Amino acid sequence: MAELKTQKTEASVEDSLEREFKDVETRMVLTTMSSNISRIQQALWVAKRHNRKVAFVGFSIERNVKVATELGFLKIPPRLVFDKRKIMSLPKGEQCLIVAGSQGQLGSSLEKIASGEHKFVHLDPGD
């Protein structure tokens, strides 16, 4: 019984992501636990459906994505992922950033982005 509830909850997360992406013309920024590979997979699928390029931002998320991909736990569609150093050169409506630091850790990529101190990512009002 608990398994069915978990599946329904995870499906509702993807539905929520769909609603958030719909009709958004600016940059999308998502954060999740960097170890939550299934959530990252959902974000990738939704980004692809909305013609967004994805950049992973943050050491932990980049490392976990690399390992999960190598082990076959994460399937990244071809030409979907863009280098974080170059993602800002794309039109805002084509960008999706998946950022480490969802727990508000000091020094995390999310904290640096929020404070305007990230080396590669700078947000604008509306992002």
Side-chain angles (χ1 to χ4, degrees):
M1 189 69 125
E3 183 178 337
L4 291 175
K5 185 176 182 181
T6 300
Q7 290 175 347
K8 183 177 181 185
T9 301
E10 286 302 310
S12 68
V13 169
E14 192 165 335
D15 292 342
S16 294
L17 286 173
E18 281 288 347
R19 284 191 302 277
E20 293 300 321
F21 271 76
K22 187 177 183 202
D23 300 324
V24 172
E25 296 178 9
T26 190
R27 184 180 298 123
M28 293 296 296
V29 181
L30 303 154
T31 188
T32 185
M33 297 287 291
S34 61
S35 59
N36 193 339
I37 300 304
S38 65
R39 185 67 40 79
I40 294 168
Q41 184 71 74
Q42 289 175 312
L44 289 170
W45 289 329
V46 173
K48 180 170 176 43
R49 286 194 293 269
H50 290 270
N51 300 311
R52 302 274 181 153
K53 298 292 185 193
V54 174
F56 298 106
V57 183
F59 176 76
S60 62
I61 209 160
E62 291 172 47
R63 180 191 62 222
N64 287 344
V65 163
K66 181 179 186 293
V67 170
T69 302
E70 289 171 355
L71 294 174
F73 295 121
L74 186 63
K75 307 291 186 209
I76 300 177
R79 297 175 300 283
L80 181 67
V81 174
F82 212 78
D83 188 296
K84 69 182 175 188
R85 293 175 295 253
K86 298 178 182 174
I87 192 82
M88 302 300 274
S89 67
L90 293 175
K92 286 176 154 191
E94 295 178 18
Q95 298 177 30
C96 175
L97 309 177
I98 301 179
V99 182
S102 66
Q103 300 300 299
Q105 304 92 324
L106 290 177
S108 70
S109 290
L110 184 62
E111 190 262 339
K112 288 178 183 176
I113 291 169
S115 66
E117 297 175 5
H118 196 275
K119 188 174 182 179
F120 304 113
V121 178
H122 304 281
L123 299 183
D124 298 317
D127 291 344

